[in-house]
Amino acid sequence: MNTVNDLALNGASIDGGLYSWFTRQAQSAPHWLDDVVSFYATLGLGVFALLMVWGWWQARQARSAAAMATALAVPVAVVLAYVMNDVLKSVFTEVRPCQAIAHTVTLQPCPGVGDWSFPSNHSTIAAASAAALWVLDRRLGIIAAVLALFMAFSRVWVGAHYPHDVVVGLLVGTLVAIPATLAARRYAPPLVVRLQSGLLRPLLTATD
């Protein structure tokens, strides 16, 4: 009978060589580049929160219940994607590459034991944000998609993840967020209309 441990991934056998190539490049890169990438790898998710606020503001100005329902669904879709990703982490229990590959030097401290690597939470959150924002507004979605790809790259560059961790994280975020946001756009507008008649009206639609 299989156990959770039987499903543990040996990430080094998948693309450990590519991971090591990235970490070597990071060690020889200009310090300013490493600083920028490291900063974004740590705090870059805040940019997606700002894009969500921007999307909400545009939906409010549009005075469209469908747009507002979609905008409000964006953070919900991100949370759903995060939860799904966390379940996958607990199932596959992949050890961080900086722990598994000897003599690895990384830009950021290696996460502790039990902080599983697969899939990447940062990449999942970034991709879910981008996918949900794309449903809301194509321009916002394109901006967020570029930033999500940079987030995935940054997590490998600083040594926190294997490349396959971030690729699957991007897929998980996208596959969860798009149907969740589309469902909200289709089914939630009547709820938004009801809420607009109450105390939440200033948050849900522009007032004259």
Side-chain angles (χ1 to χ4, degrees), residues 152-204:
F153 164 79
S154 73
R155 298 301 292 170
V156 178
W157 190 261
V158 301
H161 286 285
Y162 294 107
H164 70 266
D165 295 337
V166 300
V167 170
V168 175
L170 292 173
L171 289 174
V172 171
T174 301
L175 293 176
V176 173
I178 287 182
T181 314
L182 287 173
R185 186 173 69 180
R186 180 174 180 180
Y187 297 110
L191 175 60
V192 170
V193 171
R194 288 198 295 271
L195 293 174
Q196 285 174 342
S197 63
L199 294 176
L200 296 177
R201 179 177 176 80
L203 297 176
L204 300 178

Side-chain angles (χ1 to χ4, degrees), residues 8-156:
L9 291 182
N10 178 10
S13 67
I14 299 173
D15 51 12
L18 183 58
Y19 167 83
S20 295
W21 182 85
F22 273 109
T23 56
R24 288 196 301 269
Q25 299 310 305
Q27 293 304 310
S28 59
H31 289 302
W32 67 264
L33 176 60
D34 284 343
D35 289 343
V36 169
V37 176
S38 184
F39 178 84
Y40 186 74
T42 303
L43 300 175
L45 291 180
V47 177
F48 296 95
L50 294 177
L51 291 176
M52 290 180 203
V53 173
W54 184 6
W56 161 78
W57 181 257
Q58 288 184 325
R60 181 179 177 274
Q61 297 301 112
R63 302 183 183 185
S64 163
M68 180 54 67
T70 309
L72 295 177
V74 174
V76 175
V78 172
V79 171
L80 290 175
Y82 173 81
V83 170
M84 175 61 70
N85 198 70
D86 218 39
V87 170
L88 292 174
K89 275 181 176 286
S90 67
V91 169
F92 290 101
T93 61
E94 179 188 71
V95 175
R96 293 278 180 168
C98 44
Q99 297 170 6
I101 300 177
H103 309 300
T104 297
V105 179
T106 59
L107 294 182
Q108 294 186 352
C110 189
V113 176
D115 187 347
W116 308 119
S117 189
F118 175 86
S120 162
N121 275 336
H122 281 72
S123 298
T124 297
I125 293 170
S129 302
L133 286 168
W134 182 83
V135 175
L136 173 64
D137 181 277
R138 297 296 185 265
R139 291 171 298 177
L140 277 179
I142 291 172
I143 294 170
V146 172
L147 293 172
L149 291 174
F150 185 39
M151 175 58 71
F153 164 79
S154 73
R155 298 301 292 170
V156 178

